[in-house]
Amino acid sequence: MKTIQAYRFALDLTPGQERDVFAHAGAARVAHNWALARVKAVMDQRTAERSYGVAEQLLTPSLSWSLAGLRKAWNQAKPDMAPWWGEVSKEAFNTGLDALARGLKNWAGSRSGKRAGRPVGFPRFKSRRRTTPSVRFTTGAIRVEPDRMHVVLPRLGRLKLHESARKLARRLEAGTARIMSATVRRDGGRWHVSFTVGVERAERAPARPSSVVGVDVGILHLAVLSTGELIDNPRHLVAAQQRMRALGRALSRKTGPDRRTGQRASKRWERAAARLGRAHARVANLRRDGLHKLTTRLAAEHGTVVVEDLNVTGMLANRRLARHIADAGFAEIRRQLAYKTAWNGGRLLVADRWYPSSKTCSGCGTVKAKLALSEREYACEACGLIIDRDRNAALNLAALAAEFDTAGSGPVAGRGADQKTRIRGQVAVKRQPGTAPAGQTGTVPPQGRTTNRVLAKAH
């Protein structure tokens, strides 16, 4: 199967190379800010002319928001706006213009209703000190050296890697991968290079193709599987909270930047800010490593993985649990399972957001009208089953896969209740094949793109 995959490696840059990368990132920022100012000026001018009653055909010509249009305008203005433009790669300017073109397209699509999701705001100017330095190369000499410890990028030359690139080099040598672009970015006080690669992956099958596992994510345990396995929540942010608070207090005692007076930050403030940034980056790396190991194991072992469509944004509104929910990474678990199940020949089923997995008895199917979050054990009044709340939810999620598979051969007994599961919420009704929204299951297409599309059940 053909897929798009990213390979990310840390870099060990010399002071001269770091200055060159900063120059390229600065050039991207300059091009972005110039083009954004030009777009805003034209929009404001046309709005003012309309208010004066100027005819539409006599208005100031609009500026194209496409990458080609922005690039054409920049090439005409760069001799005056950036006389040093020949010192950096053309890809640096293209990076800033491409980011603006995508931002304007998303804003326009969000306003017109063509773009789903949250409303997207109008692009903003990039700050020299608060913007993450980044530059993307799509053309020119982009390769991994035979020693697998160096990469070559346009204008930047030969850069040393902090780690071996053997995984990518093996695919390139075998002809099963092709580098499409490379992005150099500063993250957590360290420079990284990310390669976007078109990969021809071999067809694989899970270790147990017929195995079905329900995954119920939570805070007490990061995940509870329908097999009975409990995945501990490492709580990386909580473990590092004491050190991060100390670093934050130390930072507050230094002389920082002041936008009102134009005061620049002191060297001690910059060093303290770098220490705090590295602490945050370490927490993010630990979390990412743990989630990758968990999702890789689930996708490689089980043929079908069933998860819930959680409203993570709504859950973060709970100020008492928001930090712990964000630290667990619920959305990241689903995103990684989406493409890893496809890579391993499995499938990911997503239960509908309104499916009462915690309130449904995994033994008899009775649904409780209410279940407080403090009740950690599920006690069924109908059959007398007493089971851990999260394990009960995981078993119900795993049962959804069986209902989908058997829906085409005959009717599936509906389970549910007609009571509201929460105030102003939807009513949980009995689930019949293809009719009840409470029993919907969805699939997630490869490459992390998630949808709420309902799986069609054959009749």
Side-chain angles (χ1 to χ4, degrees):
M1 62 178 296
K2 292 184 178 180
T3 184
I4 304 298
Q5 189 172 340
Y7 289 84
R8 184 170 180 259
F9 306 101
L11 291 170
D12 285 335
L13 302 180
T14 65
Q17 291 173 338
E18 189 169 13
R19 285 193 297 269
D20 292 340
V21 178
F22 268 123
H24 280 72
R29 176 180 50 82
V30 168
H32 176 278
N33 290 346
W34 176 88
L36 178 57
R38 182 75 178 274
V39 169
K40 287 175 65 67
V42 173
M43 291 177 61
D44 294 342
Q45 180 66 23
R46 289 171 63 88
T47 301
E49 292 173 352
R50 287 192 182 97
S51 66
Y52 301 150
V54 179
E56 193 70 24
Q57 62 272 18
L58 300 179
L59 295 178
T60 300
S62 60
L63 179 64
S64 174
W65 290 358
S66 66
L67 176 58
L70 295 177
R71 187 189 294 122
K72 181 179 180 180
W74 167 255
N75 288 336
Q76 294 174 352
K78 68 182 180 182
D80 299 326
M81 301 304 303
W84 40 264
W85 63 270
E87 300 176 8
V88 297
S89 172
K90 64 177 182 179
E91 294 290 341
F93 304 116
N94 189 77
T95 300
L97 299 176
D98 181 55
L100 178 60
R102 286 185 283 108
L104 291 171
K105 180 181 179 181
N106 293 338
W107 172 73
S110 179
R111 287 190 67 192
S112 62
K114 296 180 180 179
R115 188 181 191 277
R118 294 192 208 171
V120 177
F122 193 79
R124 295 185 293 182
F125 292 99
K126 293 183 179 295
S127 168
R128 177 183 179 184
R129 298 192 176 276
R130 293 187 300 275
T131 302
T132 301
S134 175
V135 59
R136 181 169 178 257
F137 299 92
T138 57
T139 60
I142 304 175
R143 66 177 184 270
V144 178
E145 291 288 76
D147 63 357
R148 302 178 179 180
M149 289 299 297
H150 293 82
V151 297
V152 175
L153 298 178
R155 295 301 295 265
L156 297 179
R158 193 168 182 259
L159 307 179
K160 186 178 185 301
L161 296 177
H162 184 73
E163 51 193 328
S164 175
R166 59 181 178 276
K167 290 186 178 181
L168 174 58
R170 288 169 183 168
R171 288 189 176 276
L172 294 174
E173 294 169 1
T176 59
R178 179 177 62 89
I179 296 178
M180 304 171 64
S181 66
T183 301
V184 181
R185 176 187 174 94
R186 184 176 174 84
D187 183 20
R190 177 180 284 278
W191 288 96
H192 296 82
V193 57
S194 300
F195 294 99
T196 301
V197 184
V199 178
E200 182 68 31
R201 298 185 64 91
E203 296 293 337
R204 302 181 61 181
R208 293 188 289 169
S210 59
S211 174
V212 179
V213 60
V215 182
D216 182 76
V217 296
I219 297 176
L220 183 62
H221 293 95
L222 180 60
V224 177
L225 308 184
S226 58
T227 58
E229 182 181 357
L230 305 178
I231 309 298
D232 291 332
N233 186 358
R235 300 174 184 256
H236 298 296
L237 183 60
V238 175
Q241 200 66 42
Q242 183 176 358
R243 171 172 169 77
M244 294 171 68
R245 285 173 178 168
L247 293 174
R249 288 194 297 268
L251 177 65
S252 67
R253 293 192 291 267
K254 308 296 189 294
T255 303
D258 192 336
R259 297 178 61 186
R260 295 171 298 179
T261 62
Q263 175 180 281
R264 300 185 61 176
S266 66
K267 293 298 183 181
R268 290 187 177 183
W269 186 92
E270 291 180 352
R271 289 195 294 268
R275 285 193 293 268
L276 181 59
R278 287 194 294 270
H280 279 283
R282 182 176 184 275
V283 171
N285 291 336
L286 289 173
R287 182 188 301 117
R288 186 185 302 113
D289 179 69
L291 295 183
H292 270 296
K293 290 178 180 177
L294 170 62
T295 54
T296 297
R297 179 167 66 88
L298 292 176
E301 184 175 353
H302 302 281
T304 301
V305 182
V306 188
V307 297
E308 287 182 291
D309 180 21
L310 297 176
N311 181 17
V312 179
T313 303
M315 297 169 67
L316 291 175
N318 186 334
R319 63 183 182 87
R320 296 181 181 273
L321 300 177
R323 178 183 297 171
H324 302 286
I325 293 173
D327 189 23
F330 295 162
E332 182 66 11
I333 293 176
R334 173 176 167 179
R335 187 193 72 85
Q336 292 182 13
L337 285 174
Y339 67 85
K340 290 183 180 181
T341 50
W343 286 358
N344 289 274
R347 61 174 180 171
L348 176 66
L349 302 184
V350 180
D352 184 77
R353 182 171 296 182
W354 301 105
Y355 173 63
S357 59
S358 297
K359 300 177 182 179
T360 304
C361 176
S362 58
C364 64
T366 303
V367 179
K368 286 189 174 183
K370 294 183 179 180
L371 184 65
L373 188 61
S374 59
E375 298 181 41
R376 303 315 304 170
E377 283 192 347
Y378 184 93
C380 181
E381 299 176 357
C383 66
L385 176 66
I386 299 178
I387 189 174
D388 179 77
R389 173 199 182 107
D390 297 332
R391 172 76 190 287
N392 178 69
L395 290 173
N396 287 325
L397 291 175
L400 282 179
E403 292 187 11
F404 166 74
D405 292 335
T406 59
S409 58
V412 179
R415 299 178 299 170
D418 57 359
Q419 302 294 325
K420 290 185 178 180
T421 57
R422 65 184 178 92
I423 299 177
R424 298 179 61 187
Q426 292 188 3
V427 178
V429 296
K430 288 191 175 182
R431 295 181 285 107
Q432 301 293 348
T435 60
Q440 291 176 355
T441 56
T443 55
V444 181
Q447 296 306 315
R449 294 179 285 110
T450 59
T451 65
N452 291 327
R453 178 170 58 88
V454 179
L455 283 176
K457 298 181 180 181
H459 295 283

